[in-house]
């Protein structure tokens, strides 16, 4: 049996592909390399270049590799872009998912893992977000992830496919420098970017009702996240498992933006004081995911620290920005 990993040349996908291949699972990656980097994949993981939304291609891959399970990561993921191009996000993240589900179900796949996001929750007013916290996404990206979860669940029921939706919190770090995130959309690379350019890191609001006044988020190391996918895949492979599961993938611990900036200063040795700017509209004071369900159902919990994430992310950043280490 083989797992088809869509988006496996991406930041998270390459970690998942490696973790699964290292654990002895047979995997094949379909990636159109729009944001993916083929070199992230080990030589023994086959990469089929093309769209996961191309039914003919997916049908051929399923037949050629005897695919019985799918880990679907390929998607557009930029919140701001989703506000500007909602049709594209709905068409590819939801419409494309429908095509993929239909195709892999017809080809005989009976296990499906879906990359969802804590963005499905929106900005809930709660200390710890559990899987039963009401979902109220605040942008088209989060909406497509929530609609994707509904679609995955419905298709699973219709086709007798066991499914798992993983709601990732804030993903950071790298298992090795070459696998680091190349985007500058998350707070850690954004701070690196500012420091490398000799600019002060920015903190949006220090008057939130949190201990140091800055927003708190749940950062999960991408290597831990990859292990969660392996655990989810292994669980779905058990003969006694059917139906659907939706589970948070976080650490249950929050780190404030101020704490993050302080650890970054320590790790990089660049102590440029942060610039405090006004709050950004829509930022929740605190978003931390409960972990009990992941521990119970997947037997998984995160083991790496925020410092581990920052050290590994900085190594990856310096690999692509040699000028940064000389700053
Ligand atoms: N990075 C995060 O913090 C985060 C948080 C929550 C959820 N997610 C989700 O995790 C998944 C992976 O995110 P990432 O951070 O690795 O992003 P990424 O952009 O690095 O990876 C996405 C990969 O999918 C590929 N791709 C995109 N459209 C495709 C298509 N139609 N067919 C085949 N390949 C396609 C890209 O080339 C890329 O390799 C996404 O579904 C994203 O929404 C990410």
């Amino acid at each position: 049996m083989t797992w088809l990993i869509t988006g496996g040349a991406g930041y998270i996908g390459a970690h998942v592909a490696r973790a699964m291949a290292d654990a002895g699972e047979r995997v094949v990656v379909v990636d159109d390399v729009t944001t993916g980097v083929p070199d992230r994949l080990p030589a023994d993981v086959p990469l089929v270049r093309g769209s996961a939304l191309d039914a003919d291609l997916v049908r051929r891959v399923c037949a050629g590799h005897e695919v019985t399970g799918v880990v679907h990561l390929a998607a557009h993921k930029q919140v701001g872009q989703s506000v500007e191009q909602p049709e594209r996000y709905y068409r590819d993240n939801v419409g494309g998912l429908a095509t993929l589900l239909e195709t892999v179900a017809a080809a005989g796949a009976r296990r499906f893992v879906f990359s969802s996001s804590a963005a499905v929750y929106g900005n809930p007013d709660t200390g710890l977000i559990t899987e039963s916290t009401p979902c109220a996404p605040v942008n088209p990206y989060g909406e497509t992830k929530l609609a994707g979860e509904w679609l995955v669940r419905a298709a699973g029921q219709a086709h007798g496919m066991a499914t798992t939706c993983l709601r990732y919190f804030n993903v950071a770090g790298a298992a090795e420098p070459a696998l680091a995130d190349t985007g500058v959309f998350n707070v850690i690379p954004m701070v690196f970017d500012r420091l490398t350019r000799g600019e002060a890191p920015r903190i949006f609001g220090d008057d939130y009702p949190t201990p140091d006044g800055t927003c708190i988020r749940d950062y999960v190391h991408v290597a831990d996240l990859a292990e969660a996918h392996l655990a989810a895949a292994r669980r779905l492979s058990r003969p006694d498992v059917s139906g659907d599961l939706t589970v948070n993938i976080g650490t249950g611990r929050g780190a404030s933006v101020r704490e993050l900036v302080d650890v970054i200063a320590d790790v990089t040795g660049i102590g440029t004081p942060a610039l405090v700017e006004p709050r950004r509209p829509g930022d929740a004071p605190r978003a931390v995911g409960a972990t009990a369900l992941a521990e119970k159902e997947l037997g998984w919990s995160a083991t790496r620290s925020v410092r581990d994430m920052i050290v590994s992310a900085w190594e990856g950043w310096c690999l692509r920005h040699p000028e940064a280490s000389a700053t």
Side-chain angles (χ1 to χ4, degrees):
M1 86 167 260
T2 304
W3 287 91
L4 162 61
I5 303 179
T6 73
Y11 165 52
I12 297 171
H15 284 88
V16 172
R18 282 182 178 226
M20 291 184 65
D22 286 351
E25 300 289 339
R26 270 174 45 194
V27 298
V28 57
V29 166
V30 170
D31 197 302
D32 66 4
V33 297
T34 45
T35 57
V37 180
D39 287 350
R40 284 181 172 142
L41 288 169
D44 57 348
V45 169
L47 165 65
V48 180
R49 290 184 194 225
S51 176
L53 318 183
D54 174 344
D56 288 337
L57 176 93
V58 170
R59 214 172 281 125
R60 282 199 304 278
V61 171
C62 287
H65 291 265
E66 298 175 342
V67 168
T68 50
V70 179
V71 181
H72 180 50
L73 296 116
H76 306 304
K77 63 159 192 179
Q78 290 176 43
V79 168
Q81 196 179 53
S82 80
V83 175
E84 288 157 15
Q85 304 171 18
E87 301 87 353
R88 178 168 167 244
Y89 272 67
Y90 270 89
R91 187 185 61 229
D92 294 347
N93 289 6
V94 183
L97 172 61
T99 305
L100 178 70
L101 283 162
E102 209 170 26
T103 309
V104 299
R110 288 295 173 266
R111 301 167 184 95
F112 199 95
V113 179
F114 176 61
S115 273
S116 187
S117 166
V120 298
Y121 294 114
N123 296 328
D125 185 15
T126 174
L128 198 61
I129 299 172
T130 73
E131 290 78 358
S132 46
T133 298
C135 290
V138 292
N139 51 59
Y141 169 70
E143 290 165 12
T144 65
K145 289 295 179 185
L146 185 56
E149 289 187 1
W150 295 337
L151 180 53
V152 165
R153 196 171 308 139
Q157 282 166 8
H159 305 298
M161 189 156 59
T163 62
T164 301
C165 297
L166 302 177
R167 291 176 174 168
Y168 319 158
F169 279 70
N170 298 66
V171 187
E176 54 184 80
L179 298 186
D181 194 0
T182 51
V184 193
F185 308 113
N186 297 326
V187 60
I188 295 173
M190 278 162 81
V191 173
F192 290 167
D193 187 43
R194 304 268 305 175
L195 293 177
T196 304
R197 289 192 278 119
E199 294 170 6
R202 294 192 296 179
I203 292 178
F204 296 99
D206 67 351
D207 56 351
Y208 286 95
T210 59
D212 67 15
T214 67
C215 289
I216 291 176
R217 294 290 177 270
D218 186 346
Y219 298 93
V220 58
H221 196 297
V222 68
D224 282 326
L225 178 66
E227 287 164 11
H229 286 75
L230 175 64
R234 291 252 159 106
R235 174 184 169 278
L236 287 178
S237 301
R238 288 189 351 227
D240 61 315
V241 169
S242 60
D244 63 274
L245 171 70
T246 299
V247 64
N248 286 345
I249 301 296
T251 67
R253 294 179 300 273
S256 74
V257 178
R258 175 76 72 190
E259 283 166 341
L260 219 58
V261 167
D262 287 348
V263 179
I264 291 174
D266 192 37
V267 167
T268 62
I270 310 172
T272 315
L275 205 64
V276 177
E277 298 196 355
R279 292 181 182 198
R280 287 184 307 197
D283 275 349
R286 185 181 157 87
V288 176
T291 57
L293 193 65
E295 284 163 25
K296 176 171 172 273
E297 293 292 341
L298 305 181
W300 172 90
S301 57
T303 59
R304 294 157 179 95
S305 68
V306 164
R307 193 178 182 86
D308 294 335
M309 293 175 221
I310 291 174
V311 167
S312 61
W314 180 243
E315 285 168 0
W317 180 268
C318 290
L319 189 69
R320 291 191 320 284
H321 303 270
E323 73 280 15
S325 42
T327 310

